[in-house]
Amino acid sequence: GMAGNWAVYYDTNNTEVEIPEPTNTNRLRLEHQEEDGTRIVADLSAMTVQHGTIELYHEKRSKLGHDPLRKDADPEALYQRIQKSKKSIGALIMDQSYFTGPGNIYRAEILFKAGVHPDRRGMDLTQDEFDRVWHHTVKLLERGYQTGSILTVDPDEAVALGKPRLRRYIYNTSHCPRCKAKIQTWSINARTCYACPKCQPLRDVVVVSSSSSPDQITSADAVAVTPSPATTKVVAKKNDCQPFNSHCARESLERRLKESGPSRLTVKEIKAELTSLGITSIPSKVKKSDLVQLLTESLHSKEQKQQPQFVSPEDAAMEKASAGESLAVEHIAELAPGQARQARGRPKKSPKVLFPENVVVSSSSTSRSKKRKTTTTTTATTSIQNKKKKTPVVKEEDTAKAASA
């Protein structure tokens, strides 16, 4: 489980591997000696371990459901069991007597990719919906087995979404990466469940006892009640997801800061960010809420001070030439035709990025003037000095005068 681990050590003739002595948490050690002298040692560390013969294994295995990683899994038999259950698919997918393997993260991601709402009852699940759930269960668990990590986002889609390092879709996330809707959370059997209301619409409401208040019931309570004439249809209350610092699915500082702001950063991380912004006079004893507010204001101030960096007209002309565009397609308003041809024919300099972040390319025929600003970063006690420089603009009336002269 999450509190235990297997550690395997290989000691060959060509390498010297230090095999540690068993500790108090070691419940089992397996050793094997190969003919070539290779020694293999496997340690099992866990809270408790029940030892037994092969009969114990068969007893435990008989209580488990269908394992998506095993070839002998029978999805059709699983669907037949699900069709007889009044529990939600969100509850069933984490019931090891039905699905063997998926945990809370996988539940959120599997049902999202399948487009099935966690509150949909097993007895209402169509064959097509179940097939999608089983397909993604197999694919995601196989990927996790192969990579050793819970990675649920397809790499191509991550790039298309503009988040090439995105690892999960909706688990512990405030907004859906596909439709931007707010992720909803509620409790199923004391575990937080996640769903996107747009990508996973709930087609059927859950039946619960009319004696229960909608605000007092949970999804687990709702799916457990047998329908009767005296029942009323209500849905368990959903809340907007408030992401937290998950120890199971850790996220980078950059992503936490971008998606949730400074509130999900630790005090040490907030102070480091403030220092990087030039704010060094931070009291040693200060509340986190005050640090969060200070960093929020500092980031907002930094965003306001940032000015776009303009590409020069000459570089813009060179870029268009390298792209194969003629002057007839798009001209440079700040350059006369002769200047543009001269710029396009300049020898290429060392490689240069023409489109860095926060860069605006001057290429529109309607552009007339630009301002360049250089911002000097200082501490919270110093002032900000901005230098403005106008980009030369060739006006139509000046060109007309020169032509008439």
Side-chain angles (χ1 to χ4, degrees):
M2 296 180 64
N5 61 76
W6 274 100
V8 182
Y9 307 93
Y10 297 89
D11 185 6
T12 66
N13 295 329
N14 299 326
T15 60
E16 294 183 0
V17 178
E18 183 179 353
I19 301 177
E21 292 297 324
T23 64
N24 293 333
T25 59
N26 278 84
R27 305 304 180 198
L28 178 67
R29 165 165 284 195
L30 303 177
E31 295 191 20
H32 176 69
Q33 188 85 20
E34 296 283 355
E35 293 182 358
D36 61 359
T38 301
R39 183 186 175 205
I40 305 175
V41 177
D43 283 341
L44 172 62
S45 298
M47 299 297 291
T48 60
V49 172
Q50 184 178 356
H51 299 277
T53 62
I54 191 66
E55 284 73 21
L56 175 62
Y57 165 79
H58 289 305
E59 177 188 350
K60 296 294 184 182
R61 180 66 185 90
S62 65
K63 297 178 181 179
L64 296 176
H66 298 267
D67 189 338
L69 296 179
R70 291 177 61 94
K71 294 182 179 180
D72 60 358
D74 188 348
E76 186 57 35
L78 174 60
Y79 179 58
Q80 295 302 321
R81 286 192 63 198
I82 290 176
Q83 281 280 281
K84 300 176 182 179
S85 176
K86 297 181 179 68
K87 293 183 179 181
S88 69
I89 185 61
L92 294 173
I93 204 169
M94 283 186 61
D95 186 335
Q96 298 297 300
S97 67
Y98 283 80
F99 292 79
T100 301
N104 202 30
I105 299 177
Y106 275 123
R107 171 176 65 182
E109 301 296 294
I110 289 169
L111 294 179
F112 174 78
K113 298 195 74 168
V116 176
H117 196 281
D119 273 347
R120 188 152 175 78
R121 294 188 300 181
M123 62 186 300
D124 298 326
L125 205 66
T126 66
Q127 181 72 57
D128 179 65
E129 289 173 325
F130 170 78
D131 289 343
R132 295 200 307 268
V133 170
W134 180 256
H135 169 78
H136 289 296
T137 301
V138 173
K139 292 299 181 183
L140 292 186
L141 264 66
E142 284 182 345
R143 186 179 180 187
Y145 176 73
Q146 294 166 359
T147 63
S149 299
I150 302 179
L151 304 173
T152 63
V153 181
D154 299 326
D156 292 342
E157 184 176 7
V159 174
L161 292 172
K163 300 179 178 181
R165 300 182 65 180
L166 187 65
R167 299 167 67 87
R168 285 166 286 276
Y169 289 98
I170 64 170
Y171 174 78
N172 195 28
T173 301
S174 58
H175 290 80
C176 174
R178 288 179 177 173
C179 71
K180 309 304 180 184
K182 290 184 177 181
I183 300 301
Q184 295 180 331
T185 64
W186 66 103
S187 177
I188 294 183
N189 296 334
R191 299 298 299 276
T192 302
C193 191
Y194 301 82
C196 172
K198 290 187 178 180
C199 299
Q200 300 165 267
L202 180 60
R203 297 176 178 84
D204 295 324
V205 295
V206 182
V207 179
V208 298
S209 172
S210 58
S211 61
S212 301
S213 169
D215 293 336
Q216 296 176 341
I217 64 170
T218 66
S219 180
D221 295 327
V223 299
V225 177
T226 302
S228 67
T231 58
T232 304
K233 292 184 177 181
V234 295
V235 178
K237 183 179 179 181
K238 308 294 191 299
N239 301 305
D240 292 339
C241 179
Q242 300 294 331
F244 60 94
N245 290 333
S246 172
H247 296 288
C248 303
R250 295 185 182 277
E251 296 173 300
S252 66
L253 183 150
E254 291 76 13
R255 182 177 179 184
R256 283 180 282 139
L257 187 59
K258 181 178 180 181
E259 291 193 349
S260 307
S263 60
R264 286 181 64 196
L265 273 58
T266 64
V267 171
K268 183 178 180 180
E269 290 172 334
I270 295 176
K271 289 184 177 181
E273 288 297 306
L274 289 171
T275 301
S276 68
L277 294 174
I279 301 176
T280 56
S281 300
I282 305 174
S284 57
K285 294 183 179 180
V286 60
K287 294 181 179 179
K288 181 180 178 179
S289 58
D290 295 333
L291 290 175
V292 169
Q293 182 178 358
L294 178 59
L295 181 55
T296 301
E297 294 173 352
S298 300
L299 291 173
H300 180 71
S301 177
K302 178 184 177 181
E303 183 178 348
Q304 293 295 320
K305 295 170 185 174
Q306 286 181 336
Q307 299 295 330
Q309 302 173 7
F310 292 100
V311 172
S312 70
E314 292 78 12
D315 285 340
M318 286 187 64
E319 186 277 327
K320 290 168 177 54
S322 64
E325 287 191 355
S326 67
L327 290 172
V329 176
E330 187 179 13
H331 74 282
I332 307 297
E334 289 83 358
L335 298 177
Q339 291 177 310
R341 285 191 291 271
Q342 183 179 2
R344 289 166 64 91
R346 288 188 306 173
K348 293 184 178 181
K349 300 179 181 180
S350 57
K352 182 177 182 179
V353 178
L354 290 183
F355 301 104
E357 190 176 357
N358 297 327
V359 168
V360 178
V361 179
S362 170
S363 58
S364 173
S365 59
T366 60
S367 300
R368 288 294 177 264
S369 65
K370 298 179 179 66
K371 295 182 180 181
R372 302 185 181 185
K373 297 183 180 180
T374 303
T375 304
T376 303
T377 304
T378 62
T379 62
T381 58
T382 59
S383 61
I384 306 298
Q385 298 178 348
N386 294 325
K387 297 181 180 180
K388 301 181 180 179
K389 181 179 179 181
K390 293 185 177 180
T391 303
V393 177
V394 179
K395 299 182 179 179
E396 292 182 357
E397 49 266 30
D398 294 339
T399 305
K401 290 179 181 179
S404 62

